[in-house]
Amino acid sequence: MTDGKDLTSPRISYWLVCLALVVIGIAATIWGGPWESARDITKVLGPGIFTAGIAGSLVALFFQHEFVRDRSRHQSPGPPQLAASASHDCAAQVAAMISREFPAFTSSEMNTPFARLGIDSISMMTIRTQAETLAGKSLDQDQWDDIDTPADLARVLGQISPQVRSEDVLPIASERRTYLLNMPQMAVGGLSESWLFKELGDIHWNVLARALGQPTRLLSDSSGDRIYATFTRIQLRSSCALGIFKENERIDIDSGMSRYGAGLYFSEAMVNGATGSIQARLMSSFSKFGATGSNTSLFKGLPELPPNCIIPAIGEVPEFGRDYQGRRAETPAPPIFECEYEITPSHDINGVGLLYFAAYPMIDDICATRYAGRMYATRFSTRYRDIFYFGNSDADDRLIYRLHRKTGDDDSVEIESSISRKSDGNLMARIFTQKVRPGREVNPRQVAVDVGQ
């Protein structure tokens, strides 16, 4: 009992003994007993027995908390019981973590290797981050490599004592850039979407590299393998068509970054000019090359975070990241058009040999124009773009572009498309686009990708 006032078995026995001593003491003092020879001795002892009973009662009243302490000492589990309890708690917490990311998981699969559970890389990264949060420290790559099953993860967590973490508020990782829109920043009479993608990406990488304390060429994981920052989703939402931004117009880009663990990084950027504003959201992770060194063999990597990393950590994956997993699990509608695209290395391949993230929207426009006609490229301008990146391609591979949906009228067009590798058919990206005619103001329209968000 926690309050120390309820009667327990030891305390009941104690009080009965005290009561018996008081009764015996009174009887001995008054009566003395039936035998003459013992009566005098009994009367002498009676007051002492009575006093002992009273004293015992007073001790119980003033030191009753000692009964509770003694009881809890006897009832607390020994080290083996505590260890078993902690192990069980870790297993339950691991099972709950996995179930949140992979609802089909059950506790009976604790000894099933992660590789056989069908959990994707983003979910595994989420599980790792949650595990490190639970442990109160990062798991180094050697520790993580030894974790093959959920039971292994529970065992490792059970061996780690949570460390005290700083409650200090970290400065926000951010950057501001200002430009005058001149020819390098423009296309088809307005703001260049290709330039904007590249610039937003550069700001994101610059903030990330500064926070990690290394130039991008030196970023590596705990094993010393070079890792590459990889975009997984980019979304632009403009208040107007990009094509109506004007030459020499000043625009300001303000961007701030947050992170989920060491694996997922999110930027929120605002582009503001006299003509209009653009909200941009970016999500990235890190990848490294597999044994073959091919762009098709990339797998997830993690940087080593410096102490007091200036990128603020968030407690859960934001909706922007969760939507990515949902899109990846979806099967696109049957295509209404498809074509091949031949990669142009000097235009589409970046400095480390990967298909450039900023090339994806341009590939989409080129291929969509083949279906919709040249007017799509010359009379319409992007107002909304949402790209989900799932893979990459070697420079000598060909791409398959598929148009899955097209709706609209003379003022606005919405399309849903995808890009896949021809060599193995793997889906590389899903793209959702809205374009409007810059010469006319149209009411904002909700793009299909936003349904349910």
Side-chain angles (χ1 to χ4, degrees), residues 41-103:
I41 298 175
T42 303
K43 286 189 175 185
V44 172
L45 294 176
I49 296 172
F50 173 80
T51 302
I54 295 297
S57 301
L58 293 174
V59 168
L61 289 173
F62 288 100
F63 296 96
Q64 56 185 319
H65 62 278
E66 293 297 331
F67 288 95
V68 178
R69 182 184 304 172
D70 182 71
R71 181 171 178 259
S72 64
R73 185 185 305 122
H74 286 291
Q75 291 185 349
S76 60
Q81 291 173 292
L82 285 172
S85 175
S87 176
H88 180 270
D89 288 345
C90 285
Q93 289 170 321
V94 167
M97 281 190 296
I98 298 173
S99 295
R100 283 194 295 270
E101 296 301 316
F102 190 65

Side-chain angles (χ1 to χ4, degrees), residues 328-354:
R328 187 164 195 166
E330 284 181 352
T331 300
I336 58 176
F337 168 79
E338 71 176 62
C339 65
E340 285 190 19
Y341 177 83
E342 183 176 357
I343 293 173
T344 304
S346 60
H347 181 266
D348 300 327
I349 301 299
N350 69 8
V352 295
L354 296 168

Side-chain angles (χ1 to χ4, degrees), residues 311-328:
I311 304 174
I314 53 180
E316 61 179 8
V317 177
E319 185 179 4
F320 188 70
R322 296 195 301 272
D323 288 345
Y324 173 87
Q325 295 172 279
R327 289 295 182 188
R328 187 164 195 166

Side-chain angles (χ1 to χ4, degrees), residues 32 135 185 374:
Q185 294 85 27
R374 194 164 183 79

Side-chain angles (χ1 to χ4, degrees), residues 192-325:
S192 166
E193 183 182 4
S194 177
W195 173 84
L196 183 58
F197 261 73
K198 294 173 185 178
E199 200 65 18
L200 289 169
D202 184 63
I203 293 173
H204 183 92
W205 299 144
N206 192 55
V207 172
L208 186 52
R210 187 171 69 243
L212 296 178
Q214 294 279 1
T216 55
R217 72 179 187 279
L218 298 180
L219 291 176
S220 61
D221 61 14
S222 58
S223 301
D225 296 327
R226 180 171 179 182
I227 54 177
Y228 302 87
T230 308
F231 279 116
T232 49
R233 186 182 181 188
I234 298 179
Q235 181 189 85
L236 300 182
R237 188 190 301 272
S238 178
S239 64
C240 60
L242 300 186
I244 66 174
F245 282 84
K246 299 176 177 62
E247 184 179 358
N248 302 141
E249 181 176 346
R250 169 179 164 157
I251 63 168
D252 299 309
I253 301 180
D254 293 280
S255 181
M257 180 177 287
S258 60
R259 64 180 173 86
Y260 181 71
L264 292 176
Y265 299 85
F266 301 88
S267 281
E268 297 269 352
M270 284 300 302
V271 183
N272 291 300
T275 299
S277 61
I278 305 165
Q279 180 191 41
R281 296 195 288 176
L282 303 88
M283 177 173 75
S284 71
S285 59
F286 282 90
S287 300
K288 61 181 180 179
F289 287 105
T292 65
S294 169
N295 291 357
T296 62
S297 66
L298 296 174
F299 60 95
K300 296 300 178 186
L302 286 178
E304 294 189 273
L305 293 179
N308 301 319
C309 178
I310 66 169
I311 304 174
I314 53 180
E316 61 179 8
V317 177
E319 185 179 4
F320 188 70
R322 296 195 301 272
D323 288 345
Y324 173 87
Q325 295 172 279

